[in-house]
mmCIF file of all heavy atoms in Angstrom:
data_model
loop_
_atom_site.group_PDB
_atom_site.id
_atom_site.type_symbol
_atom_site.label_atom_id
_atom_site.label_comp_id
_atom_site.label_asym_id
_atom_site.label_seq_id
_atom_site.Cartn_x
_atom_site.Cartn_y
_atom_site.Cartn_z
ATOM 1 N N THR A 12 0.836 -1.206 0.000
ATOM 2 C CA THR A 12 0.000 0.000 0.000
ATOM 3 C C THR A 12 0.870 1.257 0.000
ATOM 4 O O THR A 12 0.554 2.228 -0.681
ATOM 5 C CB THR A 12 -0.935 0.020 1.221
ATOM 6 O OG1 THR A 12 -0.164 -0.090 2.412
ATOM 7 C CG2 THR A 12 -1.947 -1.110 1.141
ATOM 8 N N ALA A 13 1.968 1.240 0.744
ATOM 9 C CA ALA A 13 2.866 2.396 0.746
ATOM 10 C C ALA A 13 3.541 2.553 -0.612
ATOM 11 O O ALA A 13 3.717 3.677 -1.108
ATOM 12 C CB ALA A 13 3.915 2.251 1.843
ATOM 13 N N ALA A 14 3.904 1.441 -1.230
ATOM 14 C CA ALA A 14 4.513 1.507 -2.560
ATOM 15 C C ALA A 14 3.516 2.038 -3.586
ATOM 16 O O ALA A 14 3.896 2.759 -4.519
ATOM 17 C CB ALA A 14 5.011 0.131 -2.973
ATOM 18 N N ALA A 15 2.239 1.706 -3.419
ATOM 19 C CA ALA A 15 1.221 2.208 -4.338
ATOM 20 C C ALA A 15 0.940 3.686 -4.096
ATOM 21 O O ALA A 15 0.701 4.445 -5.038
ATOM 22 C CB ALA A 15 -0.060 1.391 -4.197
ATOM 23 N N MET A 16 0.962 4.094 -2.812
ATOM 24 C CA MET A 16 0.674 5.490 -2.496
ATOM 25 C C MET A 16 1.855 6.401 -2.837
ATOM 26 O O MET A 16 1.669 7.559 -3.187
ATOM 27 C CB MET A 16 0.319 5.639 -1.014
ATOM 28 C CG MET A 16 -1.025 5.054 -0.666
ATOM 29 S SD MET A 16 -1.411 5.239 1.074
ATOM 30 C CE MET A 16 -1.465 6.988 1.266
ATOM 31 N N TYR A 17 3.066 5.891 -2.735
ATOM 32 C CA TYR A 17 4.267 6.671 -3.000
ATOM 33 C C TYR A 17 5.115 5.957 -4.048
ATOM 34 O O TYR A 17 6.159 5.382 -3.752
ATOM 35 C CB TYR A 17 5.076 6.871 -1.707
ATOM 36 C CG TYR A 17 4.251 7.466 -0.599
ATOM 37 C CD1 TYR A 17 3.809 6.677 0.467
ATOM 38 C CD2 TYR A 17 3.892 8.803 -0.625
ATOM 39 C CE1 TYR A 17 3.050 7.217 1.476
ATOM 40 C CE2 TYR A 17 3.123 9.349 0.382
ATOM 41 C CZ TYR A 17 2.709 8.546 1.429
ATOM 42 O OH TYR A 17 1.938 9.087 2.425
ATOM 43 N N PRO A 18 4.678 6.001 -5.299
ATOM 44 C CA PRO A 18 5.385 5.236 -6.332
ATOM 45 C C PRO A 18 6.760 5.798 -6.684
ATOM 46 O O PRO A 18 7.559 5.101 -7.308
ATOM 47 C CB PRO A 18 4.439 5.307 -7.533
ATOM 48 C CG PRO A 18 3.670 6.564 -7.332
ATOM 49 C CD PRO A 18 3.529 6.709 -5.840
ATOM 50 N N LEU A 19 7.048 7.018 -6.276
ATOM 51 C CA LEU A 19 8.330 7.628 -6.628
ATOM 52 C C LEU A 19 9.433 7.335 -5.619
ATOM 53 O O LEU A 19 10.593 7.678 -5.860
ATOM 54 C CB LEU A 19 8.171 9.139 -6.760
ATOM 55 C CG LEU A 19 7.230 9.627 -7.851
ATOM 56 C CD1 LEU A 19 7.143 11.140 -7.831
ATOM 57 C CD2 LEU A 19 7.687 9.144 -9.205
ATOM 58 N N MET A 20 9.092 6.688 -4.501
ATOM 59 C CA MET A 20 10.091 6.455 -3.468
ATOM 60 C C MET A 20 11.232 5.567 -3.950
ATOM 61 O O MET A 20 12.402 5.916 -3.820
ATOM 62 C CB MET A 20 9.454 5.833 -2.227
ATOM 63 C CG MET A 20 8.621 6.796 -1.436
ATOM 64 S SD MET A 20 9.599 8.111 -0.762
ATOM 65 C CE MET A 20 9.613 7.631 0.924
ATOM 66 N N GLN A 21 10.912 4.402 -4.498
ATOM 67 C CA GLN A 21 11.963 3.460 -4.895
ATOM 68 C C GLN A 21 12.792 3.982 -6.075
ATOM 69 O O GLN A 21 14.021 3.927 -6.019
ATOM 70 C CB GLN A 21 11.350 2.085 -5.213
ATOM 71 C CG GLN A 21 12.391 1.007 -5.402
ATOM 72 C CD GLN A 21 13.229 0.787 -4.149
ATOM 73 O OE1 GLN A 21 12.697 0.670 -3.056
ATOM 74 N NE2 GLN A 21 14.530 0.723 -4.311
ATOM 75 N N PRO A 22 12.185 4.530 -7.144
ATOM 76 C CA PRO A 22 13.024 5.069 -8.231
ATOM 77 C C PRO A 22 13.899 6.248 -7.789
ATOM 78 O O PRO A 22 15.055 6.360 -8.210
ATOM 79 C CB PRO A 22 12.023 5.514 -9.300
ATOM 80 C CG PRO A 22 10.775 4.787 -8.996
ATOM 81 C CD PRO A 22 10.777 4.536 -7.525
ATOM 82 N N ALA A 23 13.362 7.091 -6.920
ATOM 83 C CA ALA A 23 14.155 8.217 -6.419
ATOM 84 C C ALA A 23 15.319 7.720 -5.572
ATOM 85 O O ALA A 23 16.446 8.226 -5.683
ATOM 86 C CB ALA A 23 13.277 9.172 -5.610
ATOM 87 N N LEU A 24 15.066 6.715 -4.742
ATOM 88 C CA LEU A 24 16.136 6.156 -3.920
ATOM 89 C C LEU A 24 17.206 5.497 -4.791
ATOM 90 O O LEU A 24 18.398 5.608 -4.502
ATOM 91 C CB LEU A 24 15.580 5.147 -2.918
ATOM 92 C CG LEU A 24 16.626 4.550 -1.985
ATOM 93 C CD1 LEU A 24 17.124 5.626 -1.024
ATOM 94 C CD2 LEU A 24 16.083 3.377 -1.241
ATOM 95 N N ASP A 25 16.788 4.844 -5.866
ATOM 96 C CA ASP A 25 17.762 4.213 -6.764
ATOM 97 C C ASP A 25 18.689 5.251 -7.401
ATOM 98 O O ASP A 25 19.900 5.047 -7.479
ATOM 99 C CB ASP A 25 17.052 3.412 -7.850
ATOM 100 C CG ASP A 25 16.330 2.188 -7.291
ATOM 101 O OD1 ASP A 25 16.670 1.756 -6.172
ATOM 102 O OD2 ASP A 25 15.422 1.688 -7.978
ATOM 103 N N LYS A 26 18.123 6.364 -7.844
ATOM 104 C CA LYS A 26 18.946 7.418 -8.467
ATOM 105 C C LYS A 26 19.890 8.064 -7.449
ATOM 106 O O LYS A 26 21.053 8.316 -7.744
ATOM 107 C CB LYS A 26 18.053 8.486 -9.093
ATOM 108 C CG LYS A 26 17.342 8.016 -10.334
ATOM 109 C CD LYS A 26 16.466 9.104 -10.915
ATOM 110 C CE LYS A 26 15.707 8.593 -12.123
ATOM 111 N NZ LYS A 26 14.810 9.599 -12.683
ATOM 112 N N ILE A 27 19.379 8.327 -6.278
ATOM 113 C CA ILE A 27 20.206 8.947 -5.229
ATOM 114 C C ILE A 27 21.313 7.999 -4.793
ATOM 115 O O ILE A 27 22.473 8.385 -4.667
ATOM 116 C CB ILE A 27 19.331 9.353 -4.024
ATOM 117 C CG1 ILE A 27 18.426 10.525 -4.401
ATOM 118 C CG2 ILE A 27 20.182 9.714 -2.823
ATOM 119 C CD1 ILE A 27 17.403 10.854 -3.340
ATOM 120 N N SER A 28 20.947 6.740 -4.554
ATOM 121 C CA SER A 28 21.950 5.788 -4.061
ATOM 122 C C SER A 28 23.046 5.543 -5.089
ATOM 123 O O SER A 28 24.212 5.374 -4.720
ATOM 124 C CB SER A 28 21.287 4.478 -3.641
ATOM 125 O OG SER A 28 20.614 3.884 -4.729
ATOM 126 N N GLN A 29 22.723 5.564 -6.377
ATOM 127 C CA GLN A 29 23.750 5.400 -7.403
ATOM 128 C C GLN A 29 24.776 6.528 -7.326
ATOM 129 O O GLN A 29 25.976 6.295 -7.423
ATOM 130 C CB GLN A 29 23.099 5.352 -8.794
ATOM 131 C CG GLN A 29 24.069 5.083 -9.903
ATOM 132 C CD GLN A 29 24.718 3.723 -9.777
ATOM 133 O OE1 GLN A 29 24.118 2.776 -9.312
ATOM 134 N NE2 GLN A 29 25.967 3.629 -10.172
ATOM 135 N N GLN A 30 24.309 7.755 -7.137
ATOM 136 C CA GLN A 30 25.222 8.893 -7.006
ATOM 137 C C GLN A 30 26.056 8.788 -5.725
ATOM 138 O O GLN A 30 27.243 9.108 -5.729
ATOM 139 C CB GLN A 30 24.443 10.203 -7.003
ATOM 140 C CG GLN A 30 23.784 10.526 -8.323
ATOM 141 C CD GLN A 30 23.021 11.829 -8.246
ATOM 142 O OE1 GLN A 30 23.533 12.819 -7.739
ATOM 143 N NE2 GLN A 30 21.797 11.832 -8.741
ATOM 144 N N ILE A 31 25.440 8.332 -4.654
ATOM 145 C CA ILE A 31 26.161 8.201 -3.386
ATOM 146 C C ILE A 31 27.236 7.124 -3.505
ATOM 147 O O ILE A 31 28.344 7.296 -2.997
ATOM 148 C CB ILE A 31 25.186 7.908 -2.233
ATOM 149 C CG1 ILE A 31 24.313 9.138 -1.977
ATOM 150 C CG2 ILE A 31 25.932 7.521 -0.964
ATOM 151 C CD1 ILE A 31 23.207 8.924 -0.979
ATOM 152 N N TYR A 32 26.940 6.023 -4.193
ATOM 153 C CA TYR A 32 27.948 4.973 -4.376
ATOM 154 C C TYR A 32 29.157 5.510 -5.133
ATOM 155 O O TYR A 32 30.294 5.175 -4.821
ATOM 156 C CB TYR A 32 27.386 3.779 -5.139
ATOM 157 C CG TYR A 32 26.249 3.052 -4.454
ATOM 158 C CD1 TYR A 32 25.279 2.404 -5.196
ATOM 159 C CD2 TYR A 32 26.138 3.009 -3.069
ATOM 160 C CE1 TYR A 32 24.234 1.733 -4.591
ATOM 161 C CE2 TYR A 32 25.087 2.343 -2.458
ATOM 162 C CZ TYR A 32 24.144 1.710 -3.222
ATOM 163 O OH TYR A 32 23.109 1.063 -2.622
ATOM 164 N N GLU A 33 28.899 6.324 -6.166
ATOM 165 C CA GLU A 33 29.999 6.862 -6.972
ATOM 166 C C GLU A 33 30.818 7.883 -6.199
ATOM 167 O O GLU A 33 32.044 7.869 -6.241
ATOM 168 C CB GLU A 33 29.456 7.496 -8.251
ATOM 169 C CG GLU A 33 28.885 6.488 -9.223
ATOM 170 C CD GLU A 33 28.154 7.151 -10.381
ATOM 171 O OE1 GLU A 33 28.140 8.400 -10.464
ATOM 172 O OE2 GLU A 33 27.588 6.400 -11.203
ATOM 173 N N LYS A 34 30.150 8.785 -5.486
ATOM 174 C CA LYS A 34 30.842 9.872 -4.781
ATOM 175 C C LYS A 34 31.281 9.490 -3.381
ATOM 176 O O LYS A 34 32.148 10.137 -2.807
ATOM 177 C CB LYS A 34 29.932 11.101 -4.690
ATOM 178 C CG LYS A 34 29.576 11.698 -6.030
ATOM 179 C CD LYS A 34 28.645 12.875 -5.873
ATOM 180 C CE LYS A 34 28.229 13.413 -7.214
ATOM 181 N NZ LYS A 34 27.320 14.543 -7.075
ATOM 182 N N GLN A 35 30.646 8.474 -2.805
ATOM 183 C CA GLN A 35 30.864 8.087 -1.412
ATOM 184 C C GLN A 35 30.628 9.264 -0.468
ATOM 185 O O GLN A 35 31.323 9.443 0.520
ATOM 186 C CB GLN A 35 32.261 7.495 -1.221
ATOM 187 C CG GLN A 35 32.427 6.125 -1.811
ATOM 188 C CD GLN A 35 31.487 5.099 -1.198
ATOM 189 O OE1 GLN A 35 31.404 4.976 0.009
ATOM 190 N NE2 GLN A 35 30.778 4.363 -2.038
ATOM 191 N N SER A 36 29.659 10.078 -0.823
ATOM 192 C CA SER A 36 29.301 11.241 -0.023
ATOM 193 C C SER A 36 27.859 11.617 -0.337
ATOM 194 O O SER A 36 27.341 11.309 -1.411
ATOM 195 C CB SER A 36 30.235 12.406 -0.364
ATOM 196 O OG SER A 36 29.784 13.587 0.248
ATOM 197 N N VAL A 37 27.218 12.311 0.595
ATOM 198 C CA VAL A 37 25.865 12.797 0.351
ATOM 199 C C VAL A 37 25.872 14.257 -0.098
ATOM 200 O O VAL A 37 24.814 14.863 -0.259
ATOM 201 C CB VAL A 37 24.965 12.627 1.604
ATOM 202 C CG1 VAL A 37 24.671 11.174 1.860
ATOM 203 C CG2 VAL A 37 25.589 13.279 2.806
ATOM 204 N N GLU A 38 27.057 14.800 -0.323
ATOM 205 C CA GLU A 38 27.173 16.179 -0.789
ATOM 206 C C GLU A 38 27.017 16.235 -2.309
ATOM 207 O O GLU A 38 27.422 15.326 -3.022
ATOM 208 C CB GLU A 38 28.536 16.751 -0.394
ATOM 209 C CG GLU A 38 28.794 16.749 1.091
ATOM 210 C CD GLU A 38 27.774 17.560 1.875
ATOM 211 O OE1 GLU A 38 27.388 18.653 1.415
ATOM 212 O OE2 GLU A 38 27.371 17.087 2.948
ATOM 213 N N ASN A 39 26.429 17.300 -2.805
ATOM 214 C CA ASN A 39 26.279 17.573 -4.241
ATOM 215 C C ASN A 39 25.511 16.483 -4.971
ATOM 216 O O ASN A 39 25.866 16.105 -6.082
ATOM 217 C CB ASN A 39 27.648 17.796 -4.899
ATOM 218 C CG ASN A 39 28.387 18.951 -4.285
ATOM 219 O OD1 ASN A 39 27.789 19.962 -3.921
ATOM 220 N ND2 ASN A 39 29.689 18.818 -4.158
ATOM 221 N N ILE A 40 24.457 16.000 -4.379
ATOM 222 C CA ILE A 40 23.589 15.017 -5.027
ATOM 223 C C ILE A 40 22.555 15.781 -5.842
ATOM 224 O O ILE A 40 21.944 16.731 -5.350
ATOM 225 C CB ILE A 40 22.890 14.123 -3.980
ATOM 226 C CG1 ILE A 40 23.911 13.389 -3.128
ATOM 227 C CG2 ILE A 40 21.933 13.153 -4.650
ATOM 228 C CD1 ILE A 40 24.782 12.426 -3.878
ATOM 229 N N THR A 41 22.379 15.396 -7.091
ATOM 230 C CA THR A 41 21.423 16.075 -7.965
ATOM 231 C C THR A 41 20.181 15.201 -8.142
ATOM 232 O O THR A 41 20.261 13.978 -8.102
ATOM 233 C CB THR A 41 22.054 16.355 -9.338
ATOM 234 O OG1 THR A 41 22.460 15.120 -9.925
ATOM 235 C CG2 THR A 41 23.244 17.276 -9.210
ATOM 236 N N TYR A 42 19.048 15.869 -8.345
ATOM 237 C CA TYR A 42 17.801 15.161 -8.576
ATOM 238 C C TYR A 42 16.874 16.063 -9.366
ATOM 239 O O TYR A 42 17.075 17.275 -9.473
ATOM 240 C CB TYR A 42 17.151 14.713 -7.262
ATOM 241 C CG TYR A 42 17.156 15.760 -6.171
ATOM 242 C CD1 TYR A 42 16.194 16.761 -6.122
ATOM 243 C CD2 TYR A 42 18.129 15.741 -5.173
ATOM 244 C CE1 TYR A 42 16.205 17.717 -5.129
ATOM 245 C CE2 TYR A 42 18.141 16.689 -4.173
ATOM 246 C CZ TYR A 42 17.176 17.669 -4.159
ATOM 247 O OH TYR A 42 17.196 18.617 -3.171
ATOM 248 N N ASP A 43 15.843 15.463 -9.947
ATOM 249 C CA ASP A 43 14.878 16.201 -10.753
ATOM 250 C C ASP A 43 14.018 17.087 -9.866
ATOM 251 O O ASP A 43 13.750 16.757 -8.720
ATOM 252 C CB ASP A 43 13.953 15.228 -11.503
ATOM 253 C CG ASP A 43 14.720 14.344 -12.464
ATOM 254 O OD1 ASP A 43 15.766 14.788 -12.958
ATOM 255 O OD2 ASP A 43 14.255 13.213 -12.714
ATOM 256 N N GLU A 44 13.575 18.190 -10.439
ATOM 257 C CA GLU A 44 12.697 19.081 -9.682
ATOM 258 C C GLU A 44 11.344 18.419 -9.411
ATOM 259 O O GLU A 44 10.688 18.732 -8.423
ATOM 260 C CB GLU A 44 12.496 20.396 -10.434
ATOM 261 C CG GLU A 44 13.698 21.298 -10.385
ATOM 262 C CD GLU A 44 13.417 22.657 -10.990
ATOM 263 O OE1 GLU A 44 12.259 23.119 -10.953
ATOM 264 O OE2 GLU A 44 14.370 23.262 -11.506
ATOM 265 N N ALA A 45 10.932 17.516 -10.287
ATOM 266 C CA ALA A 45 9.657 16.833 -10.080
ATOM 267 C C ALA A 45 9.692 15.945 -8.835
ATOM 268 O O ALA A 45 8.670 15.709 -8.199
ATOM 269 C CB ALA A 45 9.308 15.991 -11.303
ATOM 270 N N ASN A 46 10.876 15.456 -8.469
ATOM 271 C CA ASN A 46 11.018 14.576 -7.309
ATOM 272 C C ASN A 46 11.728 15.249 -6.150
ATOM 273 O O ASN A 46 12.230 14.556 -5.264
ATOM 274 C CB ASN A 46 11.831 13.329 -7.696
ATOM 275 C CG ASN A 46 11.149 12.492 -8.725
ATOM 276 O OD1 ASN A 46 9.964 12.613 -8.941
ATOM 277 N ND2 ASN A 46 11.914 11.637 -9.367
ATOM 278 N N GLN A 47 11.781 16.546 -6.123
ATOM 279 C CA GLN A 47 12.630 17.215 -5.134
ATOM 280 C C GLN A 47 12.205 16.939 -3.694
ATOM 281 O O GLN A 47 13.049 16.759 -2.823
ATOM 282 C CB GLN A 47 12.712 18.710 -5.389
ATOM 283 C CG GLN A 47 11.479 19.505 -5.026
ATOM 284 C CD GLN A 47 11.647 20.974 -5.354
ATOM 285 O OE1 GLN A 47 12.366 21.325 -6.257
ATOM 286 N NE2 GLN A 47 10.980 21.813 -4.608
ATOM 287 N N TYR A 48 10.926 16.865 -3.417
ATOM 288 C CA TYR A 48 10.482 16.638 -2.044
ATOM 289 C C TYR A 48 10.743 15.194 -1.613
ATOM 290 O O TYR A 48 11.188 14.944 -0.488
ATOM 291 C CB TYR A 48 9.010 16.995 -1.884
ATOM 292 C CG TYR A 48 8.752 18.451 -2.188
ATOM 293 C CD1 TYR A 48 8.000 18.835 -3.288
ATOM 294 C CD2 TYR A 48 9.312 19.452 -1.398
ATOM 295 C CE1 TYR A 48 7.794 20.177 -3.579
ATOM 296 C CE2 TYR A 48 9.111 20.785 -1.678
ATOM 297 C CZ TYR A 48 8.348 21.141 -2.772
ATOM 298 O OH TYR A 48 8.165 22.459 -3.061
ATOM 299 N N THR A 49 10.476 14.267 -2.501
ATOM 300 C CA THR A 49 10.755 12.869 -2.215
ATOM 301 C C THR A 49 12.253 12.663 -1.987
ATOM 302 O O THR A 49 12.665 11.998 -1.030
ATOM 303 C CB THR A 49 10.269 11.982 -3.376
ATOM 304 O OG1 THR A 49 8.889 12.232 -3.601
ATOM 305 C CG2 THR A 49 10.493 10.513 -3.077
ATOM 306 N N CYS A 50 13.053 13.241 -2.868
ATOM 307 C CA CYS A 50 14.512 13.102 -2.750
ATOM 308 C C CYS A 50 15.037 13.778 -1.488
ATOM 309 O O CYS A 50 15.964 13.261 -0.847
ATOM 310 C CB CYS A 50 15.197 13.669 -3.982
ATOM 311 S SG CYS A 50 14.906 12.693 -5.468
#
């Protein structure tokens, strides 16, 4: 039910986590304006 109510959570986490793996930091992470609150 949470996945249905918040369908952008998992894709947003995948994009963020990929950047974190590459940079090994949470600084300067970029995301779309459409997902800014979720991210």
Side-chain angles (χ1 to χ4, degrees):
T12 56
M16 289 180 63
Y17 306 105
L19 297 178
M20 287 296 253
Q21 190 61 47
L24 182 69
D25 292 340
K26 289 180 183 178
I27 290 172
S28 60
Q29 184 63 33
Q30 292 180 46
I31 292 173
Y32 297 150
E33 291 171 3
K34 296 178 183 179
Q35 288 299 310
S36 171
V37 290
E38 301 300 319
N39 300 323
I40 301 297
T41 59
Y42 44 82
D43 298 331
E44 286 187 29
N46 296 342
Q47 74 182 29
Y48 299 113
T49 304
C50 291

